[in-house]
Every structure is written in structure tokens, then in C-alpha cells.
Amino acid sequence: MLRLPFAGQSDLAAALQAVRNAWGGHGVVALPTETFYGLAVPPDDPAAVDRVFALKGRPVEKALPVVAASLAQLERLVVVPEEWRGRLEAAWPAPLTVVLPSARGLAGVGQTLAVRVPAQPLLRRLLASVGPLTATSANRSGGPPLARVEDVARVLGDGLALLLDGGDAPGGLPSTVLDITRGAPRILRQGAFQPPREWGVTGG
């Protein structure tokens, strides 16, 4: 496992090259988000996606969430209802994961896909260069998400091609997961983002 610093703009060029090298071999990259560390591969690389499922021990029926630099970047992957476009543009970047209809077939993805624009500036700069990536939490399935970089290295290091070391992630609450594919918007997991009352959200 290669380990590189990922804490400031000066780290970005080397990180980008290392990320591309890792994915050339369908490798898995661990990187910091605004909450916990995540496992990142291109969502359209079936071999890399399979490695993420194997590394986590995650059931294959549970699709991997995806992060992107912007709503515009996500529109290659999901269908955004027109009435939600302004709301999401105003809310993102934020720890808000939204379940939307899939725009096209991806490895490990069914009719819907959970997506977000993360509130981590350096990660968004990386995403602007490489495109959308998976961002499932860096942990074994059923275990707690990992915020400490040394825990990521210890628990998952043998299965990683690259660890982008941004120091310890903030931790705290995970992203809120909001499903807007089935009529009234519904919270599947209440996390760090509180949807505005005018969204008419249920659940939580």
C-alpha cells in the first residue's frame, strides 16, 4: 500500500497521479471525506467495484454510494427531478446523500443510486479532475466507519492500493441519506445534515 499526504493544495498533483496509477490496476483508494474515510474507485470499473465489496465484506445487493465535484458531474449517473435541482444546488456541498434514479447501468448499481457532493474542498478538487467515485465508508461491513487514518491503515491496509492521508477525519455523524425516488421525500438515515422544513421530508 502506497501512502501519500492529502492535506492541502500542494498535495493534489502527486495524489492525482497516484490515484490514476492505482486505478490502472483496478486498485482501491482510501481517502478522507467531511465525515469519515471512504473507499474510492471509479463506479464504472466492475473489477475495482468487486474489490471494494470483497474488502468490506459488503453484501453485493447494497449498492455503493457515489460522490462527485458538482451536481452537473453527477448528472452523467443519475436523473435529477427538475423540482429538486435548485434545492440540491443550494444544499450541496454538504453531508447529504440523496437517492436518485440511475441514469445508466453501473457495476453494482440497480435502478437507484445514492449520491452526494462532499463538503471536503480538497476531495472536490480531486473529483473535478477524475470524475465521480464511490465513497462507501472505510470499514468492514457491520463495523463502525473509520475516522482515524491509522485505523484505516491497520484494518484495511492489506487490501488498499493507495491511502491518501489527510490526517484524522472529523468523524461525528455520518451523512444524512434522503430518498426522493418514491413520492414524498423520506429520510433513510438521519445524520449530519438537517433537511429544511420546506422540503416536506418524512422519517428520520
Side-chain angles (χ1 to χ4, degrees):
M1 176 191 72
L2 177 63
R3 183 168 173 172
L4 291 177
F6 190 66
Q9 182 65 32
S10 61
D11 299 325
L12 186 58
L16 282 169
Q17 185 58 55
V19 161
R20 293 183 174 113
N21 290 344
W23 290 332
H26 309 288
V28 179
V29 176
L31 44 70
T33 75
E34 73 273 46
T35 52
F36 298 92
Y37 271 77
L39 299 179
V41 299
D44 57 355
D45 181 346
V49 168
D50 286 348
R51 286 188 175 180
V52 173
F53 278 108
L55 180 58
K56 285 178 66 76
R58 184 182 176 97
V60 295
E61 63 270 17
K62 296 182 67 176
L64 303 177
V66 169
V67 293
S70 63
L71 178 60
Q73 203 178 55
L74 283 170
E75 287 187 294
R76 298 173 0 214
L77 307 178
V78 293
V79 177
V80 182
E82 196 57 41
E83 65 270 24
W84 277 91
R85 186 177 305 279
R87 294 173 179 178
L88 296 180
E89 286 178 338
W92 278 333
L96 169 66
T97 299
V98 180
V99 180
L100 290 164
S102 300
R104 60 187 178 88
L106 293 172
V109 172
Q111 297 301 307
T112 62
L113 183 64
V115 297
R116 88 174 186 274
V117 177
Q120 212 281 16
L122 192 59
L123 174 54
R124 291 200 308 277
R125 293 189 189 106
L126 185 144
L127 294 166
S129 294
V130 302
L133 302 175
T134 67
T136 184
S137 57
N139 61 326
R140 303 291 187 190
S141 187
L146 302 177
R148 295 186 64 251
V149 66
E150 294 303 333
D151 289 340
V152 177
R154 174 178 54 82
V155 174
L156 299 172
D158 288 348
L160 299 175
L162 173 65
L163 172 57
L164 293 182
D165 183 349
D168 292 347
L173 292 174
S175 67
T176 296
V177 180
L178 179 66
D179 186 347
I180 62 173
T181 66
R182 302 178 183 181
R186 184 167 59 97
I187 289 181
L188 304 182
R189 179 182 71 196
Q190 181 62 64
F193 181 87
Q194 182 61 50
R197 181 177 300 177
E198 59 267 25
W199 288 11
V201 172
T202 63

